[in-house]
Amino acid sequence: MTAGASPAPYLRLAGIRKDFGSFAALKGIDLDIAQGEFVCFLGPSGCGKTTLLRIIAGLEVQSAGRIELAGRDISRLPPAERDYGIVFQSYALFPNLSVADNVAYGLVNGKVDRQHRVERVRELLALVGLPGSEARFPAQLSGGQQQRIALARALATSPGLLLLDEPLSALDAIVRVKLRGEIRALQRQLGVTTVMVTHDQEEAFAVADRVVVMNQGSIEQVGTATTVYREPATPFVADFVGRINTLPATAGAEPGQLKIGERVFRSEHPSALAHAAGQDLRICLRPEDVVARPLPPGDPNVIEARVEKIDFMGPYCLVRVSSGALGEQALTVYLSLHFLTEARLEVGSFLPLRLLPERMRVYA
């Protein structure tokens, strides 16, 4: 490798396509994943994320494209010859085998001697927080404990790649949050390259080094959680990730001018600066980017809004407002419970709000 060159990716997907008859489930996926990286495939049901994971695992065969793992072409190798461990949504534990035998299943097939199997099982159970559970059976474990056993089994052979297929979706919310933190900590400790499929964006943002947002068989955006949330590359990403306000507008005569109804607003976001006057546009604005203070005097982005609905969310409220300045279009904003109490706001109240110009992202 030459000085300054980036290291070769540990996992490379090049032109991966999957056709089911006339339906293209994957439309030419290109993606490089670094060694030790934690990457989440995120998207709605049917977007192709699970199909892509299964192709990496060799459980589905791609219609076209190449897969490389640690510089080795594994595109046509059977699953047993690919260096990975996998955890399924359903855990897929053998109910008639003890915890020890479930964890050691891959080691038996790998012809590891009994003493080393016992030691490895003990080590893995300690690693996932279930020491001393060797003699128990899956039916005697909670859902979270079963998922830990499935994770231990996937790690038993010390694979170079760990694949997680919606591993937490069957668990209740409290267990899910706890276990995702444990999975992330374990991944960092072991340094194993990990790919997880999920439709839960909070989950993806909590664990991933990078998030791959997919839609209709294609990749819409790849980036850190912060980048994907704050700078969505496409209208789909903006709408799918988090809450978003979308306002129709037309480009004004000057760069950054946006006309909504009869009112001209100003955007300082780079996406708003290169449109022809009169062009139809869409403004996307997160709820937290519509603020109640500070309100600079004479700011063209300050509006008078009427409170239409208040949804209590604990420390903050999700507030629906409308404004004549926006042609009576509604906005969703976040306001703290303290602010609502101090300002004595209720349905029907009026308050000034500011649309942050630096956060008004525009799509043509």
Side-chain angles (χ1 to χ4, degrees), residues 11-159:
L11 176 64
R12 168 165 282 170
L13 308 176
I16 301 298
R17 184 177 180 88
K18 181 63 178 178
D19 299 317
F20 293 100
S22 61
F23 173 69
L26 295 172
K27 303 172 183 176
I29 300 294
D30 295 304
L31 181 67
D32 287 350
I33 296 175
Q35 186 161 15
E37 193 174 17
F38 197 133
V39 171
C40 276
F41 296 161
L42 174 68
S45 297
C47 71
K49 58 187 185 295
T50 297
T51 299
L52 185 56
L53 188 84
R54 289 176 62 82
I55 285 172
I56 295 170
L59 303 175
E60 293 275 0
V61 179
Q62 67 273 22
S63 303
R66 179 183 175 91
I67 308 168
E68 294 180 6
L69 185 65
R72 183 172 66 121
D73 186 353
I74 63 169
S75 305
R76 300 295 169 181
L77 293 182
E81 295 181 28
R82 305 186 185 202
D83 180 25
Y84 72 86
I86 189 166
V87 179
F88 295 101
Q89 177 181 348
S90 61
Y91 319 142
L93 298 177
F94 300 108
N96 58 320
L97 298 183
S98 68
V99 163
D101 289 338
N102 265 286
V103 174
Y105 185 78
L107 299 174
V108 173
N109 289 344
K111 298 181 173 59
V112 177
D113 67 72
R114 186 179 184 282
Q115 183 56 37
H116 283 93
R117 289 203 307 269
V118 170
E119 292 173 2
R120 181 63 173 157
V121 167
R122 185 181 301 120
E123 173 190 346
L124 287 163
L125 290 178
L127 196 64
V128 299
L130 289 172
S133 60
E134 287 89 338
R136 300 171 72 183
F137 284 83
Q140 298 172 307
L141 305 175
S142 68
Q145 289 172 327
Q146 289 184 47
Q147 196 59 288
R148 287 184 176 89
I149 298 304
L151 183 60
R153 182 179 61 186
L155 294 169
T157 58
S158 300

Side-chain angles (χ1 to χ4, degrees), residues 25-362:
L26 295 172
K27 303 172 183 176
I29 300 294
D30 295 304
L31 181 67
D32 287 350
I33 296 175
Q35 186 161 15
E37 193 174 17
F38 197 133
V39 171
C40 276
F41 296 161
L42 174 68
S45 297
C47 71
K49 58 187 185 295
T50 297
T51 299
L52 185 56
L53 188 84
R54 289 176 62 82
I55 285 172
I56 295 170
L59 303 175
E60 293 275 0
V61 179
Q62 67 273 22
S63 303
R66 179 183 175 91
I67 308 168
E68 294 180 6
L69 185 65
R72 183 172 66 121
D73 186 353
I74 63 169
S75 305
R76 300 295 169 181
L77 293 182
E81 295 181 28
R82 305 186 185 202
D83 180 25
Y84 72 86
I86 189 166
V87 179
F88 295 101
Q89 177 181 348
S90 61
Y91 319 142
L93 298 177
F94 300 108
N96 58 320
L97 298 183
S98 68
V99 163
D101 289 338
N102 265 286
V103 174
Y105 185 78
L107 299 174
V108 173
N109 289 344
K111 298 181 173 59
V112 177
D113 67 72
R114 186 179 184 282
Q115 183 56 37
H116 283 93
R117 289 203 307 269
V118 170
E119 292 173 2
R120 181 63 173 157
V121 167
R122 185 181 301 120
E123 173 190 346
L124 287 163
L125 290 178
L127 196 64
V128 299
L130 289 172
S133 60
E134 287 89 338
R136 300 171 72 183
F137 284 83
Q140 298 172 307
L141 305 175
S142 68
Q145 289 172 327
Q146 289 184 47
Q147 196 59 288
R148 287 184 176 89
I149 298 304
L151 183 60
R153 182 179 61 186
L155 294 169
T157 58
S158 300
L161 179 66
L162 178 63
L163 304 177
L164 306 173
D165 185 10
E166 304 224 34
L168 307 178
S169 61
L171 303 173
D172 64 61
I174 294 176
V175 175
R176 192 162 63 241
V177 170
K178 185 174 188 296
L179 193 52
R180 80 186 184 201
E182 292 176 3
I183 288 174
R184 180 51 168 154
L186 186 58
Q187 187 270 340
R188 283 177 171 160
Q189 179 183 340
L190 298 176
V192 60
T193 307
T194 301
V195 177
M196 183 168 84
V197 163
T198 182
H199 63 274
D200 186 327
Q201 52 194 266
E202 181 182 314
E203 188 172 285
F205 288 175
V207 300
D209 295 311
R210 284 191 301 158
V211 177
V212 179
V213 183
M214 297 182 63
N215 181 39
Q216 296 183 347
S218 299
I219 292 177
E220 294 267 344
Q221 186 172 3
V222 181
T224 65
T226 302
T227 298
V228 168
Y229 182 81
R230 297 298 281 169
E231 297 295 338
T234 66
F236 170 82
V237 177
D239 186 60
F240 180 73
V241 175
R243 287 188 171 93
I244 200 79
N245 293 297
T246 302
L247 299 169
T250 55
E254 298 179 13
Q257 283 188 343
L258 300 168
K259 190 175 181 182
I260 303 175
E262 299 303 315
R263 174 84 175 263
V264 176
F265 293 81
R266 174 137 193 104
S267 171
E268 297 171 3
H269 194 279
S271 64
L273 304 180
H275 300 287
Q279 184 178 0
D280 289 335
L281 303 170
R282 281 180 291 173
I283 301 171
C284 285
L285 201 61
R286 300 286 184 198
E288 65 268 26
D289 297 328
V290 182
V291 298
R293 50 190 176 193
L295 303 172
D299 191 309
N301 286 22
V302 173
I303 61 173
E304 186 79 5
R306 181 182 187 275
V307 176
E308 304 289 349
K309 185 181 180 184
I310 300 173
D311 290 331
F312 175 71
M313 308 294 285
Y316 70 94
C317 293
L318 200 61
V319 182
R320 191 81 167 164
V321 302
S322 63
S323 173
L326 302 175
E328 299 303 332
Q329 292 182 87
L331 289 175
T332 298
V333 302
Y334 294 140
L335 295 176
S336 74
L337 186 59
H338 291 308
F339 177 79
L340 282 168
T341 303
E342 288 174 10
R344 298 181 180 178
L345 293 177
E346 57 188 22
V347 172
S349 298
F350 286 85
L351 78 159
L353 293 170
R354 181 174 183 242
L355 282 59
L356 294 180
E358 66 274 19
R359 298 306 313 155
M360 293 177 69
R361 188 176 183 90
V362 173

